[in-house]
Amino acid sequence: SDGGGIVNRGTMTIQGESVISNNEASADGGGIDNDGGDSLTIIDSTISGNVAGQGGGGVYNDEGRTLTISGSTISGKIIDGTVEISAQRGGGIFNEGAVTITGSTIRDHAVVQYGGGLFNTRGTVTVTSSTCITVTSITAAVIVHFWAAPSSGSVIEGASARAMRCG
């Protein structure tokens, strides 16, 4: 099933230091699944320790949907000092729609395939003044998978993968 913590099928705003943590989905969106909803906005909140069997350990944003993240942290699960696998693809965020990330941190995610921090396919991504720290792809390819390069003022640091592609 999708959306271990929340499934959004409308318009939703999560704000005010909200915490969505330690949820699991067998398919997409360990923390939140924005699938069927028009838009999801996350402001000054924390999405942490969530796991998805397929895409989007923290958040899954489906095709045609809008995800806006501001002043928030999307972090993975750490057990005994080890970053655990968050998803197959898109440990922090799996995007097929439109995502805008401003002043936020994506950290401590490991994935089996692609996009330790963020995996983008068929969607658009705008990242401004944000940080991606300690994200790992276990078997191949990328840390942040963009069809377009990330926006200015953003940092990807401490990332580990066999190959890295931004752009």
Tab-separated table of all heavy atoms in Angstrom, residues 56 89-96 113-121 125 142-147:
chain	number	residue	atom	x	y	z
A	56	GLY	N	10.260	6.944	-2.819
A	56	GLY	CA	9.931	8.017	-1.891
A	56	GLY	C	9.842	7.595	-0.445
A	56	GLY	O	8.762	7.526	0.125
A	89	ARG	N	14.166	3.801	-4.801
A	89	ARG	CA	14.534	5.031	-5.512
A	89	ARG	C	13.950	6.219	-4.762
A	89	ARG	O	12.833	6.167	-4.273
A	89	ARG	CB	13.962	5.015	-6.936
A	89	ARG	CG	14.550	3.940	-7.820
A	89	ARG	CD	13.848	3.842	-9.165
A	89	ARG	NE	12.394	3.692	-9.079
A	89	ARG	CZ	11.751	2.551	-8.828
A	89	ARG	NH1	12.441	1.448	-8.611
A	89	ARG	NH2	10.442	2.504	-8.802
A	90	GLY	N	14.724	7.307	-4.716
A	90	GLY	CA	14.234	8.513	-4.057
A	90	GLY	C	14.099	8.353	-2.563
A	90	GLY	O	13.008	8.351	-2.017
A	91	GLY	N	15.228	8.239	-1.888
A	91	GLY	CA	15.211	8.039	-0.440
A	91	GLY	C	14.464	9.127	0.303
A	91	GLY	O	13.646	8.852	1.170
A	92	GLY	N	14.736	10.369	-0.055
A	92	GLY	CA	14.019	11.484	0.564
A	92	GLY	C	12.736	11.783	-0.168
A	92	GLY	O	11.662	11.825	0.419
A	93	ILE	N	12.861	12.001	-1.488
A	93	ILE	CA	11.714	12.376	-2.316
A	93	ILE	C	11.782	11.647	-3.655
A	93	ILE	O	12.830	11.620	-4.293
A	93	ILE	CB	11.696	13.894	-2.585
A	93	ILE	CG1	11.628	14.679	-1.273
A	93	ILE	CG2	10.536	14.282	-3.506
A	93	ILE	CD1	11.940	16.155	-1.431
A	94	PHE	N	10.660	11.105	-4.078
A	94	PHE	CA	10.507	10.566	-5.430
A	94	PHE	C	9.515	11.492	-6.114
A	94	PHE	O	8.383	11.647	-5.661
A	94	PHE	CB	9.959	9.141	-5.397
A	94	PHE	CG	9.903	8.477	-6.747
A	94	PHE	CD1	10.815	7.496	-7.077
A	94	PHE	CD2	8.945	8.834	-7.687
A	94	PHE	CE1	10.772	6.859	-8.318
A	94	PHE	CE2	8.882	8.211	-8.932
A	94	PHE	CZ	9.802	7.222	-9.248
A	95	ASN	N	9.943	12.123	-7.214
A	95	ASN	CA	9.101	13.121	-7.879
A	95	ASN	C	8.786	12.754	-9.320
A	95	ASN	O	9.677	12.493	-10.112
A	95	ASN	CB	9.778	14.493	-7.865
A	95	ASN	CG	8.924	15.536	-8.545
A	95	ASN	OD1	7.777	15.747	-8.172
A	95	ASN	ND2	9.471	16.168	-9.560
A	96	GLU	N	7.494	12.795	-9.658
A	96	GLU	CA	7.046	12.678	-11.040
A	96	GLU	C	6.218	13.897	-11.441
A	96	GLU	O	5.751	13.982	-12.555
A	96	GLU	CB	6.199	11.413	-11.230
A	96	GLU	CG	6.995	10.145	-11.063
A	96	GLU	CD	6.183	8.904	-11.347
A	96	GLU	OE1	5.209	8.651	-10.614
A	96	GLU	OE2	6.528	8.200	-12.307
A	113	GLN	N	18.690	1.765	-5.543
A	113	GLN	CA	18.936	2.102	-6.941
A	113	GLN	C	19.362	3.558	-7.127
A	113	GLN	O	20.539	3.845	-7.125
A	113	GLN	CB	17.700	1.791	-7.781
A	113	GLN	CG	17.407	0.309	-7.837
A	113	GLN	CD	16.138	-0.001	-8.599
A	113	GLN	OE1	15.299	0.854	-8.827
A	113	GLN	NE2	15.992	-1.252	-8.998
A	114	TYR	N	18.415	4.468	-7.307
A	114	TYR	CA	18.750	5.823	-7.726
A	114	TYR	C	18.226	6.892	-6.770
A	114	TYR	O	17.144	6.767	-6.213
A	114	TYR	CB	18.143	6.121	-9.114
A	114	TYR	CG	18.457	5.104	-10.161
A	114	TYR	CD1	17.493	4.219	-10.612
A	114	TYR	CD2	19.731	5.024	-10.710
A	114	TYR	CE1	17.777	3.291	-11.584
A	114	TYR	CE2	20.024	4.086	-11.681
A	114	TYR	CZ	19.046	3.221	-12.118
A	114	TYR	OH	19.341	2.296	-13.079
A	115	GLY	N	18.974	7.980	-6.671
A	115	GLY	CA	18.500	9.170	-5.975
A	115	GLY	C	18.420	9.040	-4.477
A	115	GLY	O	17.336	9.021	-3.904
A	116	GLY	N	19.564	8.991	-3.824
A	116	GLY	CA	19.576	8.909	-2.364
A	116	GLY	C	18.773	10.015	-1.715
A	116	GLY	O	17.982	9.784	-0.815
A	117	GLY	N	18.957	11.239	-2.185
A	117	GLY	CA	18.212	12.375	-1.639
A	117	GLY	C	16.912	12.604	-2.365
A	117	GLY	O	15.854	12.741	-1.761
A	118	LEU	N	17.009	12.666	-3.706
A	118	LEU	CA	15.833	12.950	-4.531
A	118	LEU	C	15.970	12.249	-5.870
A	118	LEU	O	17.020	12.312	-6.491
A	118	LEU	CB	15.700	14.463	-4.743
A	118	LEU	CG	14.467	14.947	-5.514
A	118	LEU	CD1	14.064	16.315	-4.999
A	118	LEU	CD2	14.741	15.037	-7.002
A	119	PHE	N	14.899	11.588	-6.285
A	119	PHE	CA	14.857	10.990	-7.611
A	119	PHE	C	13.752	11.688	-8.392
A	119	PHE	O	12.608	11.734	-7.945
A	119	PHE	CB	14.578	9.494	-7.540
A	119	PHE	CG	14.505	8.840	-8.896
A	119	PHE	CD1	15.662	8.565	-9.594
A	119	PHE	CD2	13.294	8.503	-9.459
A	119	PHE	CE1	15.613	7.957	-10.848
A	119	PHE	CE2	13.225	7.900	-10.707
A	119	PHE	CZ	14.392	7.634	-11.407
A	120	ASN	N	14.100	12.263	-9.533
A	120	ASN	CA	13.139	12.974	-10.368
A	120	ASN	C	13.023	12.289	-11.708
A	120	ASN	O	14.005	12.069	-12.390
A	120	ASN	CB	13.593	14.424	-10.574
A	120	ASN	CG	12.616	15.180	-11.439
A	120	ASN	OD1	11.443	15.286	-11.106
A	120	ASN	ND2	13.097	15.699	-12.551
A	121	THR	N	11.804	11.940	-12.078
A	121	THR	CA	11.561	11.372	-13.396
A	121	THR	C	10.296	11.989	-13.971
A	121	THR	O	9.280	12.043	-13.292
A	121	THR	CB	11.442	9.836	-13.337
A	121	THR	OG1	11.184	9.346	-14.633
A	121	THR	CG2	10.376	9.353	-12.398
A	125	VAL	N	11.906	20.104	-11.103
A	125	VAL	CA	12.455	20.320	-9.767
A	125	VAL	C	13.100	21.696	-9.703
A	125	VAL	O	13.893	22.053	-10.570
A	125	VAL	CB	13.520	19.254	-9.420
A	125	VAL	CG1	14.151	19.532	-8.059
A	125	VAL	CG2	12.921	17.859	-9.461
A	142	VAL	N	22.881	7.596	-9.281
A	142	VAL	CA	22.936	9.001	-8.914
A	142	VAL	C	22.531	9.275	-7.487
A	142	VAL	O	21.862	8.499	-6.842
A	142	VAL	CB	22.025	9.826	-9.841
A	142	VAL	CG1	22.494	9.724	-11.269
A	142	VAL	CG2	20.614	9.379	-9.716
A	143	ILE	N	22.951	10.429	-7.028
A	143	ILE	CA	22.519	10.923	-5.736
A	143	ILE	C	21.248	11.740	-5.922
A	143	ILE	O	20.235	11.466	-5.337
A	143	ILE	CB	23.615	11.792	-5.076
A	143	ILE	CG1	24.865	10.961	-4.856
A	143	ILE	CG2	23.113	12.388	-3.791
A	143	ILE	CD1	24.662	9.694	-4.091
A	144	VAL	N	21.321	12.734	-6.753
A	144	VAL	CA	20.148	13.531	-7.085
A	144	VAL	C	19.972	13.408	-8.588
A	144	VAL	O	20.860	13.743	-9.353
A	144	VAL	CB	20.329	15.007	-6.680
A	144	VAL	CG1	19.089	15.807	-7.025
A	144	VAL	CG2	20.628	15.101	-5.194
A	145	HIS	N	18.864	12.907	-9.030
A	145	HIS	CA	18.629	12.622	-10.437
A	145	HIS	C	17.727	13.692	-11.024
A	145	HIS	O	16.539	13.721	-10.746
A	145	HIS	CB	17.979	11.249	-10.548
A	145	HIS	CG	17.922	10.737	-11.944
A	145	HIS	ND1	16.881	11.004	-12.781
A	145	HIS	CD2	18.795	9.976	-12.637
A	145	HIS	CE1	17.100	10.409	-13.945
A	145	HIS	NE2	18.250	9.777	-13.870
A	146	PHE	N	18.302	14.595	-11.791
A	146	PHE	CA	17.543	15.694	-12.388
A	146	PHE	C	17.553	15.564	-13.899
A	146	PHE	O	18.556	15.178	-14.482
A	146	PHE	CB	18.191	17.044	-12.069
A	146	PHE	CG	18.047	17.480	-10.662
A	146	PHE	CD1	19.138	17.488	-9.820
A	146	PHE	CD2	16.830	17.907	-10.168
A	146	PHE	CE1	19.025	17.908	-8.517
A	146	PHE	CE2	16.716	18.337	-8.862
A	146	PHE	CZ	17.814	18.327	-8.038
A	147	TRP	N	16.476	15.942	-14.539
A	147	TRP	CA	16.499	16.121	-15.983
A	147	TRP	C	16.999	17.528	-16.278
A	147	TRP	O	17.416	17.831	-17.358
A	147	TRP	CB	15.141	15.867	-16.611
A	147	TRP	CG	14.722	14.435	-16.431
A	147	TRP	CD1	13.651	13.991	-15.733
A	147	TRP	CD2	15.392	13.272	-16.911
A	147	TRP	NE1	13.611	12.618	-15.753
A	147	TRP	CE2	14.664	12.156	-16.471
A	147	TRP	CE3	16.544	13.060	-17.669
A	147	TRP	CZ2	15.033	10.853	-16.774
A	147	TRP	CZ3	16.904	11.756	-17.965
A	147	TRP	CH2	16.154	10.675	-17.523
